[in-house]
Amino acid sequence: MKDTARPAAAHPSAVAAAPVLTSAVPNTGPAAGNNNVVLGGSGFTGATAVKFGTTAAVGYTVNSATQITAVAPAGTETVAVTVTTPGGTSNPVTYTYTAQPVLVSVSPSQGPAAGGTTVTLTGSGFTGATAVRFGTTAATSYTVNSATQITALAPAGTGAVPVTVTTPGGTSNAVFFFYLSAPVLVSVSPAQGPSAGGTPVTLTGTNLSGATAVGFGATPATGFTVDSPTQITAVAPAGTGTVPVTVTTPGGTSNAVGYSYVGSPVLTLLTPSLGPTGAGSGVTLTGTGLTTTTAVHFGAASAAFTVLSDTAVATVAPAGAPGTVAVDVTTPGGTSNSLPYTRVAAPQI
């Protein structure tokens, strides 16, 4: 019997499976593209194309069978990302193009160098913000209130700095924020006044421009005027004792300079209370609160005086017509009550 050889059996060639795409990280990015996107999945070996919608990636690297790093092209809205290999084209995963944020205003636009100012940023495209910066320094904190508003807490800084907002869509244009030096007080003149208030006081120092408040202790000045960056004129409110005077500007609150409230002087006795019409008669004024006496009057006439103590002032009665005049004392605390002094004409011979 003739032995007939059988032909060898044919083996079908293996067909590669289509790749599977499970993730794109990040899944959002700027409309300008050029950001790296890591694609996760399986079957990526030999990939021949990565597309964002119908547009090819700017470039891509197959890191392994389960990972590709691709550079996103420019685009808009939401697109389907796919990977193509000899085994076919993967399922899509979504990738969203986000418009670059736009910053329109920063309010307030200035604050103290120490930071801590609450600043409202207004613009568009703020959703998903990942950073708010004042120059190169991150905001101390921030809250995305809406797509058009962010509230941020300014960090410490100096000079003028550009404020920017970063989102997956990119970094915004800059709007400047100005750090201001805190005011410094050097003197308060006069440094004392009556408890009733109402004394005009000149404050001298530096960085006083833009003052928003002048305080006498916890009480605001009755009113104030910024005369220059180095001078403020304020009206003291009513008060007691010694209080710290401070000035507040957008740059912060100044150091304190003391201002003392002085009680009104009181007269209780004139010795003697009678005298000649001519000048030169010595009179001792007795009372309280006389240490800071600035004037003694016999009626409308001023008299020379010497402060002996808080309870006594020696004065010389000026000349005047016969009769009785009111004697009073003035101090920074005000004008005292008055006591009568009587001039007696010399007897006629």
Side-chain angles (χ1 to χ4, degrees):
M1 177 181 294
K2 186 177 181 180
D3 190 13
T4 305
R6 296 181 181 178
H11 295 283
S13 58
V15 177
V20 175
L21 192 53
T22 57
S23 64
V25 179
N27 62 1
T28 60
N34 289 318
N35 57 301
N36 289 333
V37 179
V38 177
L39 308 180
S42 59
F44 293 162
T45 302
T48 57
V50 174
K51 289 189 174 183
F52 286 69
T54 58
T55 305
V58 174
Y60 65 90
T61 300
V62 180
N63 304 320
S64 68
T66 59
Q67 187 183 84
I68 291 175
T69 300
V71 179
T76 58
E77 300 182 340
T78 299
V79 297
V81 180
T82 57
V83 174
T84 299
T85 70
T89 297
S90 73
N91 58 295
V93 295
T94 58
Y95 179 86
T96 301
Y97 285 99
T98 305
Q100 185 175 9
V102 175
L103 190 53
V104 174
S105 66
V106 172
S107 180
S109 61
Q110 56 187 14
T117 302
T118 299
V119 180
T120 300
L121 283 59
T122 304
S124 61
F126 293 164
T127 301
T130 55
V132 174
R133 293 189 177 276
F134 287 69
T136 58
T137 306
T140 302
S141 63
Y142 67 91
T143 301
V144 180
N145 304 320
S146 68
T148 61
Q149 186 183 87
I150 290 175
T151 301
L153 195 62
T158 57
V161 298
V163 179
T164 57
V165 175
T166 299
T167 71
T171 297
S172 72
N173 58 298
V175 173
F176 278 84
F177 180 85
F178 299 86
Y179 285 102
L180 303 177
S181 297
V184 175
L185 270 186
V186 174
S187 66
V188 173
S189 180
Q192 54 188 8
S195 298
T199 303
V201 177
T202 299
L203 312 180
T204 303
T206 58
N207 304 320
L208 305 182
S209 294
T212 55
V214 173
F216 285 69
T219 307
T222 302
F224 68 91
T225 301
V226 179
D227 305 316
S228 71
T230 60
Q231 182 176 295
I232 290 175
T233 301
V235 178
T240 58
T242 298
V243 297
V245 179
T246 57
V247 174
T248 300
T249 72
T253 298
S254 72
N255 58 300
V257 175
Y259 179 84
S260 298
Y261 286 100
V262 182
S264 296
V266 175
L267 285 183
T268 56
L269 180 67
L270 300 183
T271 307
S273 60
L274 298 175
T277 56
S281 178
V283 179
T284 299
L285 285 59
T286 303
T288 58
L290 306 180
T291 299
T292 56
T293 296
T294 57
V296 175
H297 292 98
F298 282 70
S302 296
F305 66 91
T306 300
V307 175
L308 303 177
S309 69
D310 190 59
T311 59
V313 171
T315 186
V316 177
T324 300
V325 295
V327 178
D328 58 48
V329 172
T330 299
T331 73
T335 298
S336 71
N337 58 303
S338 61
L339 294 178
Y341 178 81
T342 303
R343 294 187 179 96
V344 179
Q348 298 294 322
I349 297 175

